[in-house]
Amino acid sequence: MFQTALRLIYPPRCLNCGGLVESDGGLCGPCWREMPLIGGTVCDLCGTPLPGEGEGLQCDACLRVERPWDRGRAALVYDGVARKLVLGLKHGDRADLVAPAAGWMALGLRGLVPEGTLVAPVPLHRWRLAKRRYNQSALLARALARELGLTCVPDLLVRRLRTPSLDGLGAEARFATLEAAITAHPKRAAQIKSRVILLVDDVMTSGATLSAATRACRDAGAAGVIVGVLARVAKDA
């Protein structure tokens, strides 16, 4: 009775527009139709949607720039409704987006990630974490680990250098800025050795942050690295 009364007072709302929906964590019909979910043929390294059919294909961006990880997937194209939701998660305290976002991410990663894989978020520097109050990638990593039945280690990696914001920087500047900025946590490095690591981030643009995190895992002896992001900026594909 309490749940019924609560539903009457606070009915489920669309994650994007706030319209009424049937269940929590959902989108209304019009918003769902505008949601740029990625499916079908994709780049095997970053998840960018590709034309045609095939497996193990790579987009132009991944052919131009070396990717130190093994495989990667993205749930959404960073545009329209998806961009609004990602920004809400990143800057708007939209913790209600975490569970559905992890569900979308899991769709592309099931069957790709081997049993026993460790899930780890791309880390924030401690000063940026204090300012933002939460790491959206860590929230996604925990929820995604639950979806996939894996173990999440939120502090597996640390951001030892306080780098400036990457907004507005070109690809080369992003890679240069993040060089040696991320390393394995001294107390967690032993957990990485000979394990496959699933790195989780909210958005992939140039891939510089994920490259730095992957190299930190490789340096600590990871057997393999897979990346999973909520959204991929398609203009770089």
Side-chain angles (χ1 to χ4, degrees):
M1 292 179 63
F2 175 76
Q3 291 293 334
T4 301
L6 195 63
R7 289 282 183 175
L8 290 173
I9 300 172
Y10 301 107
R13 298 283 181 175
C14 171
L15 292 171
N16 180 54
C17 71
L20 294 175
V21 293
E22 293 184 357
S23 60
D24 292 323
L27 293 164
C28 66
C31 289
W32 181 254
R33 287 191 291 272
E34 294 180 10
M35 191 68 158
L37 286 162
I38 295 175
T41 304
V42 299
C43 172
D44 199 42
L45 289 175
C46 74
T48 292
L50 296 175
E53 298 180 358
E55 296 182 358
L57 303 177
Q58 296 182 20
C59 66
D60 291 343
C62 291
L63 288 171
R64 289 195 306 267
V65 181
E66 180 186 359
R67 305 301 191 192
W69 58 84
D70 300 298
R71 304 182 78 180
R73 291 294 184 271
L76 310 167
V77 175
Y78 187 66
D79 191 26
V81 173
R83 184 176 185 276
K84 179 181 176 181
L85 294 180
V86 171
L87 290 175
L89 173 62
K90 192 168 188 173
H91 301 296
D93 294 335
R94 291 288 308 275
D96 59 310
L97 297 172
V98 173
W104 301 330
M105 294 172 71
L107 292 175
L109 289 165
R110 285 195 178 95
L112 192 72
V113 181
E115 186 177 350
T117 295
L118 287 182
V119 182
V122 168
L124 285 178
H125 188 272
R126 62 182 182 277
W127 291 111
R128 185 163 294 173
L129 180 60
K131 182 179 180 180
R132 190 176 291 174
R133 294 176 288 106
Y134 65 94
N135 179 357
Q136 70 280 358
S137 297
L139 298 179
L140 288 172
R142 289 191 184 97
L144 182 58
R146 287 194 295 270
E147 286 279 347
L148 298 175
L150 301 173
T151 299
C152 178
V153 185
D155 59 347
L156 194 70
L157 303 175
V158 293
R159 202 158 184 152
R160 62 183 179 184
L161 299 181
R162 188 182 181 184
T163 56
S165 172
L166 301 180
D167 292 343
L169 295 180
E172 289 187 9
R174 286 170 176 258
F175 279 91
T177 298
L178 285 162
E179 187 173 358
I182 299 175
T183 187
H185 192 295
K187 295 183 179 180
R188 301 293 192 187
Q191 293 179 259
I192 299 176
K193 189 174 178 59
S194 301
R195 301 285 292 274
V196 175
I197 309 299
L198 172 59
L199 290 176
V200 176
D201 206 359
D202 56 347
V203 180
M204 177 182 171
T205 305
S206 66
T209 305
L210 288 164
S211 291
T214 298
R215 290 192 175 93
C217 293
R218 298 285 193 197
D219 291 345
V225 178
I226 299 169
V227 303
V229 297
L230 176 56
R232 173 72 165 107
V233 177
K235 66 180 182 180
D236 288 330

